[in-house]
Amino acid sequence: MKTNNSKIVDCTIRDGGLVNNWDFSVEFVQQLYAGLNDAGVDYMEIGYKNSPKLLKGADKAGPWRFLDDEFLRKVIPQKGHTKLSALVDIGRVDENDILPRSESLLDLIRVACYIKDVDKAIELVNIFHERGYETTINIMALSNVMEHELLEAFELIKDSVVDVVYIVDSYGSLDHKDILHLTEKFKKHLPNKRLGIHAHNNLQLAFSNTLIAAEQGVELLDASVYGMGRAAGNCPTELLVTHLKHTHYKLRPVLDVIEKLMIPLREKEEWGYIIPYMITGTLDEHPRSAMALRASEDKDKAVDFYDKLTTPEVSFDQK
Amino acid sequence: MKTNNSKIVDCTIRDGGLVNNWDFSVEFVQQLYAGLNDAGVDYMEIGYKNSPKLLKGADKAGPWRFLDDEFLRKVIPQKGHTKLSALVDIGRVDENDILPRSESLLDLIRVACYIKDVDKAIELVNIFHERGYETTINIMALSNVMEHELLEAFELIKDSVVDVVYIVDSYGSLDHKDILHLTEKFKKHLPNKRLGIHAHNNLQLAFSNTLIAAEQGVELLDASVYGMGRAAGNCPTELLVTHLKHTHYKLRPVLDVIEKLMIPLREKEEWGYIIPYMITGTLDEHPRSAMALRASEDKDKAVDFYDKLTTPEVSFDQK
């Protein structure tokens, strides 16, 4: 397995923030950064760089939802080898918030988009690239994309300045055969671009899919410590650092983070392989219905939930 | 994926019994059998067929540890399509306990053995085969077996009457490349035998490894509902029934079993992806040290545990 070009992008704070509304203390984030840096993890995605002006309920979220460069400098006064990343969404970012890279601690800005917005993603990437950042486009929900849409998107992307293009399994519904199929297609149509993968764990396949993608030459591997991320969560960082061959990652600092930060947090917050998330995964759909179920009294009523999602004449509004 | 020859062997009671000392009520086992039968699962391994005379502490275990044919007839008065299986261990089974198949509800007797005992496993298989049962040999701890040992075992097995030979990932340390390597070797040296796989989930790879084995033609796929099994547990039955292509399995009855039986049980008993089991998995060793840790006050002290297992001069006896 030639995975020595692999780079791990830890998304614990950014994707995990979708679990706890970014309610991480500064000390938590500092300890996580120190642990990831000791482990040799390449990037830490420390939050979103969206604008609070463009989002409802912004005042209730923790600071990692709307990263501020000045605040970030206080959080990470001494940067190590681990680079910092932020994610933005189409229509939620104000380009005036983005300083030149030389004035920011951020190294990488990633743009998440659905296939129909790839043109808008490229416009944003142009701005961020111009200001000196590494850039990625993360194409979400690929399991729901038709072939011709994907080919049109590749045409736009291949001539753009973006550094890395991501395969995102938003619903956690893909298996190894899907990953082989997608990596082959991305490599064929985007031979001049590096690739990334962001997997969700609804079917317990996030780690396996990420390993198989790495073997196919996918370079940027998204993960989070103890798998913390929305709904079923992500590929666990601890598994990548211990299992990728011919790399210099260290497991022990990640175990330390799990013991000190993640085990206590998991007692308060919920993510991982939980049956309603498995159900939305196997049905290849967004986990929002399962997240609503888990927040209700019926959280363990898996059979009713399955029946609702699989009976065409019943919608959730009619129940 | 041509997996329509796949047969699922649900091991919830047998392997799950290693978690709760086989403390399942008769009603639990009856409801599980009904659910598996509705789901179209091919085999239910309902326990061990070892002899209580040959094991210490036998009086403390539930009845599924030492299956009695008369008792079994009361538990399952009406058998459906799901066949019944029992496991035996070398040196712990009294052949006088094994009725002819025509007088037993059991269809399949499986012999678990380490590589050095394959000759003894074949002696037992000869007896069970003679009495009319389907038979398997389950070779444990394959990740710790040397090439020449395996080739010698193949020589004995290929001329035996055994129906199915199992690849057993006892430590949950194998990945997809290991599975491809092993299935290729087993198919090459045992062309006249059907194959099986029993995976453990220490690295979250049990389901993926089982899918990949099925794709390579491995027919008997071990699983357990909600993954219940010793330590990190097994490949989840619910994932196999929903994801294997071109099969007639049904997910809904398994969800019903999870909701009614497994979610309440998981609140009392522990199995699954738990960090000390991940550590023994990545170190490719038996989970007994992690099981001892989980039963102690230090159960979440992952870093100390990792240090002990990876520091050559420190043994557990000296601590």
Side-chain angles (χ1 to χ4, degrees), chain A residues 116-136:
Chain A
K116 69 179 174 55
D117 289 329
V118 160
D119 55 338
K120 298 193 185 83
I122 291 172
E123 284 174 24
L124 285 173
V125 157
N126 286 337
I127 296 167
F128 305 147
H129 178 80
E130 181 69 27
R131 294 186 191 167
Y133 295 95
E134 303 173 40
T135 58
T136 77

Side-chain angles (χ1 to χ4, degrees), chain B residues 192-289:
Chain B
N192 59 334
K193 297 299 180 192
R194 295 155 62 206
L195 301 179
I197 182 163
H198 182 92
H200 280 279
N201 209 23
N202 302 59
L203 302 180
Q204 298 195 4
L205 293 174
F207 176 47
S208 168
N209 285 345
T210 303
L211 279 188
I212 283 164
E215 213 172 84
Q216 299 304 310
V218 172
E219 267 186 64
L220 267 62
L221 311 178
D222 280 19
S224 59
V225 181
Y226 210 43
M228 187 184 189
R230 188 183 63 188
N234 304 122
C235 171
T237 303
E238 65 272 18
L239 292 176
L240 281 184
V241 297
T242 192
H243 200 76
L244 285 174
K245 305 293 186 239
H246 316 305
T247 60
H248 298 288
Y249 297 117
K250 293 195 186 79
L251 174 59
R252 194 179 186 279
V254 184
L255 292 177
D256 193 51
V257 165
I258 292 174
E259 183 177 329
K260 294 211 178 89
L261 305 179
M262 303 312 288
I263 299 284
L265 182 57
R266 183 62 182 76
E267 285 173 13
K268 292 187 296 180
E269 304 286 348
E270 173 180 290
W271 68 87
Y273 179 74
I274 292 164
I275 293 298
Y277 301 140
M278 183 279 277
I279 293 172
T280 59
T282 194
L283 297 176
D284 189 20
E285 57 180 69
H286 195 286
R288 67 173 68 85
S289 57

Side-chain angles (χ1 to χ4, degrees), chain A residues 1 173-178 201-209 211-212 215 226 234 236 238-239 242-243 245 251-252 255-259 263 267 273-275 278-279 282 300-304 306-307, chain B residues 1 173-178 201-209 211-212 215 226 234 236 238-239 242-243 245 251-252 255-259 263 267 273-275 278-279 282 300-304 306-307:
Chain A
M1 200 190 303
S173 60
L174 304 182
D175 69 13
H176 63 285
K177 297 218 316 170
D178 303 313
N201 209 24
N202 302 59
L203 302 180
Q204 299 195 5
L205 293 174
F207 176 48
S208 167
N209 286 344
L211 279 186
I212 284 165
E215 213 172 85
Y226 209 42
N234 305 122
E238 65 272 18
L239 291 175
T242 191
H243 201 75
K245 304 293 186 241
L251 174 60
R252 193 179 186 279
L255 292 177
D256 193 49
V257 166
I258 292 174
E259 182 176 329
I263 299 286
E267 284 172 14
Y273 179 73
I274 293 163
I275 293 299
M278 183 278 276
I279 292 172
T282 193
D300 285 318
K301 298 211 167 145
V303 175
D304 280 355
Y306 180 73
D307 286 348
Chain B
M1 198 191 302
S173 60
L174 303 181
D175 69 13
H176 63 284
K177 297 218 317 168
D178 303 313
N201 209 23
N202 302 59
L203 302 180
Q204 298 195 4
L205 293 174
F207 176 47
S208 168
N209 285 345
L211 279 188
I212 283 164
E215 213 172 84
Y226 210 43
N234 304 122
E238 65 272 18
L239 292 176
T242 192
H243 200 76
K245 305 293 186 239
L251 174 59
R252 194 179 186 279
L255 292 177
D256 193 51
V257 165
I258 292 174
E259 183 177 329
I263 299 284
E267 285 173 13
Y273 179 74
I274 292 164
I275 293 298
M278 183 279 277
I279 293 172
T282 194
D300 285 317
K301 299 211 167 144
V303 175
D304 279 356
Y306 180 73
D307 286 347

Side-chain angles (χ1 to χ4, degrees), chain B residues 39-55:
Chain B
V41 168
D42 305 274
Y43 294 86
M44 171 174 173
E45 189 155 87
I46 197 163
Y48 280 94
K49 188 70 188 154
N50 288 331
S51 167
K53 291 164 285 187
L54 302 173
L55 261 167

Side-chain angles (χ1 to χ4, degrees), chain B residues 22-171:
Chain B
W22 298 273
D23 182 19
F24 300 104
S25 70
V26 168
E27 295 70 29
F28 185 106
V29 175
Q30 287 173 328
Q31 287 180 49
L32 177 63
Y33 181 80
L36 294 174
N37 189 59
D38 288 347
V41 168
D42 305 274
Y43 294 86
M44 171 174 173
E45 189 155 87
I46 197 163
Y48 280 94
K49 188 70 188 154
N50 288 331
S51 167
K53 291 164 285 187
L54 302 173
L55 261 167
K56 285 184 202 165
D59 52 328
K60 291 179 192 128
W64 323 103
R65 191 173 190 189
F66 307 103
L67 287 172
D68 176 85
D69 283 283
E70 201 177 334
F71 170 73
L72 209 49
R73 219 172 276 281
K74 289 176 193 154
V75 176
I76 314 279
Q78 286 206 307
K79 212 166 136 185
H81 292 294
T82 301
K83 294 179 174 179
L84 293 177
S85 162
L87 190 72
V88 303
D89 293 312
I90 304 287
R92 293 180 177 177
V93 56
D94 180 345
E95 60 174 278
N96 298 313
D97 291 344
I98 312 291
L99 297 177
R101 181 176 176 182
S102 57
E103 299 170 28
S104 171
L105 284 191
L106 295 173
D107 304 282
L108 169 65
I109 300 186
R110 314 202 298 172
V111 182
C113 69
Y114 290 102
I115 195 84
K116 67 179 175 54
D117 289 328
V118 160
D119 55 337
K120 298 193 186 80
I122 291 172
E123 284 173 25
L124 286 172
V125 157
N126 286 337
I127 296 167
F128 305 147
H129 178 80
E130 181 70 29
R131 294 186 190 166
Y133 295 95
E134 303 171 41
T135 56
T136 78
I137 292 179
N138 299 17
I139 309 177
M140 298 187 287
L142 278 170
S143 59
N144 284 195
V145 168
M146 284 183 289
E147 179 80 5
H148 73 275
E149 298 174 296
L150 195 55
L151 295 178
E152 285 166 25
F154 287 151
E155 281 300 311
L156 297 175
I157 290 169
K158 75 173 189 207
D159 297 325
S160 78
V161 297
V162 75
D163 298 305
V164 178
V165 186
Y166 262 79
I167 295 167
V168 182
D169 178 17
S170 301
Y171 307 152

